[in-house]
């Protein structure tokens, strides 16, 4: 309809069509709309400028977005939140944190709930605990800001991802209303810390409070049982998914059960579980068994697992690397080298591992 318009479009028209371009990911047409606005509109319109900013963010043109953001004659909370969210969503979490710091310094706009959720998400991704604590402290000083479940859950998630489950539980206990995400996030944190029994106790409280779990909650619960060696409890929960809560198990749930068997050294039971699955076992399920075989130095299952993985589509380079390392650990160098050659033949490359450290309080 815009291409056939027979009147001069105004700023509102361009905002609407830019929204359509963002939804479609139509980079070329969106840039043309932006150029049209620069040529034909004389007055600055912050709503249109924010729409252009959002368009470039959604299309992944962060360089263009950053340039426009700096050049904007006026910026409001939507402008800042769009930049922070765009950086965080695309994995540029350090940049997202830097923009929030600049927002605080310039005082151009006051952060709202969306701003805080986005910057907390960025802190979670890079485990920036000290800066996450600063954001949490900032939230505590904003008496005009009603802490919703979105913000509360973002704070809990930040502490969980940064490894401070104790503070996460304190924040959780202070929430006026706890939804399913609140409960599941804390259960996940306890699972990562290996506190299986505490995770199960929290799950019981969750049910008592009338909050019903979803498929993500059960991934956290079975994972908690896996790390805590609670095989029987994990199997009961896995069965309860479908029989009690009518949640159909997905590949991730099956992989968690296999991992649970594997960590307990029950490799034959893990293989039997895979063979009896009602759906075809994907590579992640076989990868969990392979990792268990590596941990317990059981090389009898290597070849059957290898055969299953070779025939699967979409196997990650990490799984192939694990397979090669497993063969190497068993002194089967020829097989290890064959896997490495296969990785090179497919043009795959393992992503280099990395870690973060905070120093005064820059992130490196």
């Amino acid at each position: 309809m815009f291409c056939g318009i027979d009147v001069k479009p105004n700023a509102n028209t361009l905002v609407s069509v830019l929204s359509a371009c963002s939804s479609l990911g139509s980079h070329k047409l969106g840039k043309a709309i932006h150029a049209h606005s620069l040529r034909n509109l004389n007055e600055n319109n912050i709503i249109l400028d924010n729409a252009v900013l959002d368009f470039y963010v959604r299309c992944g043109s962060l360089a263009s977005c950053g340039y426009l953001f700096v050049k904007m004659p006026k910026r409001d909370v939507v402008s800042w939140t769009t930049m922070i969210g765009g950086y965080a969503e695309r994995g540029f979490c350090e940049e997202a944190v830097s923009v929030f710091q600049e927002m605080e310094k310039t005082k151009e706009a006051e952060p709202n709930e969306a701003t805080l959720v986005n910057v907390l998400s960025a802190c979670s991704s890079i485990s920036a605990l000290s800066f996450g604590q600063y954001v949490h402290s900032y939230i505590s000083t904003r008496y005009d800001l009603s802490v919703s479940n979105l913000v509360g859950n973002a704070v809990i998630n930040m502490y969980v991802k940064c490894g401070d489950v104790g503070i996460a539980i304190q924040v959780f206990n202070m929430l006026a209303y706890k939804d399913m995400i609140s409960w599941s996030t804390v259960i996940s944190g306890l699972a990562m810390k290996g506190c299986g029994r505490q995770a199960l106790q929290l799950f019981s409280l969750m049910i008592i409070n009338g909050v019903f779990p979803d498929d993500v909650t059960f991934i956290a619960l079975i994972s908690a049982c896996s790390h805590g060696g609670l095989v029987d409890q994990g199997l009961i929960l896995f069965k309860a998914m479908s029989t009690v809560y009518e949640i159909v198990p997905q590949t991730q749930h099956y992989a968690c059960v296999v991992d649970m068997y594997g960590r307990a050294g029950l490799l034959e039971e893990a293989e039997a579980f895979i063979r009896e699955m009602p759906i075809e076992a994907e590579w992640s399920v076989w990868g969990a068994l392979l990792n268990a075989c590596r941990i317990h130095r059981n090389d009898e299952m290597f070849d059957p697992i290898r055969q299953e993985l070779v025939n699967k589509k979409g196997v990650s380079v990490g799984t192939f690397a694990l397979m090669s390392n497993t063969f190497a650990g068993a002194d089967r160098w020829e097989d290890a080298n064959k896997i490495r050659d296969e990785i090179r033949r497919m043009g795959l490359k393992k992503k280099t591992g990395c870690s973060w450290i905070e120093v005064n309080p820059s992130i490196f």
Side-chain angles (χ1 to χ4, degrees), residues 53 55 66 68 82 150 191 273 359:
L53 209 60
F55 160 74
L68 289 171
T82 300
L150 283 175
F273 177 80
V359 180

Side-chain angles (χ1 to χ4, degrees), residues 1-14 17 36 40-41:
M1 288 190 71
F2 177 79
C3 292
I5 195 169
D6 57 359
V7 294
K8 185 178 179 180
N10 60 16
N12 292 335
T13 316
L14 299 182
V17 76
H36 176 87
N40 295 282
L41 298 181

